[in-house]
Structures are given as C-alpha cells and as structure tokens.
Amino acid sequence: MHEDISGKVSRKRIKRTHWKHHSAEATSSYYKRYLNGVMRNPAASVLLELANEVDFSPALMARIVLEEFLHQQEGVLPTKPVINSMIRDPSKIPDRVLARQVFQCTVNDCCYGPLVDCIKHAIGHEHEILLREMLQEKKLSFLDENQLRAKGYDKTPDIILEVPVAVEGHVIHWIESKASFGDECSHQSYLHDQFWSYWNRFGPGLVIYWYGFIAELDCLRERGILLKDHFPTDIVTLHHTMP
C-alpha cells in the first residue's frame, strides 16, 4: 500500500478530531447546513465546501451526511454495507443532488474514499509483483499470499520462503511488502496487527517499506523483525530450490 507523508499527516489530524465530527450535535448541524446550502443553490459544491470549512475529510463528510439522509428517509440507521455501496457508486443514492455532492467529495479527497483505496491497492499490488519477480531472479522458492490462503492460512505475510535465507546475518522466513513510508504510528499498528502474528507463526521475517522508514524503528532485529527500504542484495541462501 502506498501513502505519502503529507497524506499520513492529514490522516493523523483527522483521526485526532474524528470524534467531534461524529457527535450527534455535529451530525445534525452538518445535515442542516447541507439542506440549507442545496436549497439556496443545488449546483454549488455544498458538502465539499463544508468539509474544507471545518477542516475535515470530504469523503468522511459525505458519509456523515449520507447516513443522516438515509436515516431521515427510512427511519432506521443504514447498515455499513449499504453506505459503502453508495459511496463507491453514488448513482445508487436515491437523490440526484446528494449523489452528485457525494461524488464530488470522493474525487476531491486525497486521504479517504474509494478512489484513494483503488490507487493504494494498485500501487501495493505493483510492489508485490516486483517483490515476486526479484525473488524469482534470485531463484528462491516461495509461496505467495494467494497460495498460502489456498492452503488454509487466514492471516499471512506476502511471501513465505520455502527455504529460509540470511540477510545481514539475520535468518528470514517471510517477507512483507509495504508500498508506504514507515512512520512510528503505522509501524506500531502493523506490529500489533500483523508482524508479531507472522513472527509467532512463521518465525523471524523481513518488512520492506519501499518508500523509506524512520531509522529508529529498525530496532527489533534481534527479536526477529528486520526493516529495509529495498530488496536486499546480500542474501545468503542455503541452496537454490526454484522449481
């Protein structure tokens, strides 16, 4: 997954203030301001301008107003799958003005929304392919994430080496590709949600942050998690077993 530093700064700020935008008072206020805005001028970029005014994500603002709109229309809170479906495809929203407002917000958000998710997924997939090609050039035998899931594993790294290798004197059993910059916040989250689980199941491994990382984070080598910002060139193999 790819995300530049400025994007991460924006996401951090939004996460810190997320709660105040989702309070009942804020939600009601945003919805009323949206209704008043489109009543005055249906062609205006009401939601986008509102999000910019309160320094909040346009895509998340669109979600808040859409949820409130559906709640008012149907009398019950909409489910998350319903909201996600309409955010991805605004033509499903039963109000043409709101549909256009939601679309404007999602295409003008650099941090959240379906367009950003697609870009991140595409760049992440591109780097996973690059990693597999580099392993094949080194004639290293491995299983990728799809092969591991076919074998019944649920949470897996991108690559499991069928024969461990050594990198800078450290034994490596698995490799995780991250097409992003490794800052402290994201790295700690990955450690908790992914890396330690991989370590417990498969042993020590390597994480490649293709867009760099804070050097001080590479402090767990002796515990079994090595960080690099490129594919290592000094791999020591036991033997070559590429089928």
Side-chain angles (χ1 to χ4, degrees), residues 40 67 74 189 230 238:
R40 286 194 302 269
E67 286 179 354
E74 301 173 10
S189 177
H230 60 276
L238 297 178

Side-chain angles (χ1 to χ4, degrees), residues 3-218:
E3 183 172 24
D4 62 24
I5 298 174
S6 62
K8 286 195 172 185
V9 171
S10 298
R11 289 177 72 95
K12 284 182 181 179
R13 186 184 69 251
I14 289 168
K15 285 178 181 178
R16 284 198 303 268
T17 61
H18 187 273
W19 61 272
K20 75 176 186 179
H21 295 290
H22 282 77
S23 68
E25 182 180 355
T27 297
S28 176
S29 171
Y30 294 155
Y31 187 60
K32 287 177 182 176
R33 292 186 62 180
Y34 160 73
L35 291 177
N36 290 336
V38 295
M39 190 176 298
R40 286 194 302 269
N41 184 2
S45 302
V46 177
L47 282 186
L48 186 58
E49 292 174 2
L50 176 58
N52 290 334
E53 178 187 328
V54 300
D55 195 23
F56 193 50
S57 155
L60 296 183
M61 177 62 75
R63 177 179 287 269
I64 288 173
V65 171
L66 176 59
E67 286 179 354
E68 186 62 21
F69 168 79
L70 294 174
H71 186 198
Q72 296 287 336
Q73 291 286 310
E74 301 173 10
V76 294
L77 287 172
T79 64
K80 190 172 181 179
V82 168
I83 291 292
N84 289 343
S85 176
M86 291 183 177
I87 292 289
R88 284 194 297 268
D89 182 3
S91 68
K92 295 180 179 179
I93 298 173
D95 182 284
R96 293 183 63 183
V97 173
L98 180 55
R100 185 178 61 80
Q101 298 278 335
V102 169
F103 177 75
Q104 276 188 334
C105 286
T106 58
V107 298
N108 284 283
D109 196 316
C110 66
C111 295
Y112 293 91
L115 182 60
V116 174
D117 291 342
C118 287
I119 293 171
K120 289 180 182 178
H121 178 77
I123 296 175
H125 184 62
E126 178 183 328
H127 283 79
E128 289 170 12
I129 292 173
L130 176 63
L131 174 58
R132 291 198 293 268
E133 290 175 347
M134 289 177 167
L135 289 166
Q136 289 166 348
E137 287 177 7
K138 290 285 187 180
K139 301 191 186 316
L140 296 174
S141 183
F142 64 88
L143 296 174
D144 63 26
E145 193 173 21
N146 293 329
Q147 292 170 309
L148 290 165
R149 285 180 178 168
K151 288 177 176 288
Y153 292 101
D154 53 352
K155 184 180 287 190
T156 69
D158 293 316
I159 297 293
I160 292 290
L161 297 169
E162 293 195 295
V163 178
V165 300
V167 175
E168 298 176 7
H170 298 272
V171 175
I172 299 300
H173 290 263
W174 53 267
I175 304 175
E176 178 73 5
S177 171
K178 293 295 182 189
S180 60
F181 177 83
D183 65 3
E184 185 170 0
C185 180
S186 60
H187 184 63
Q188 291 301 323
S189 177
Y190 287 139
L191 282 170
H192 180 269
D193 296 335
Q194 297 179 344
F195 302 159
W196 287 126
S197 296
Y198 303 160
W199 182 88
N200 282 328
R201 178 171 288 186
F202 305 110
L206 165 68
V207 178
I208 302 178
Y209 282 111
W210 295 100
Y211 291 85
F213 58 88
I214 297 173
E216 288 77 12
L217 298 178
D218 191 18

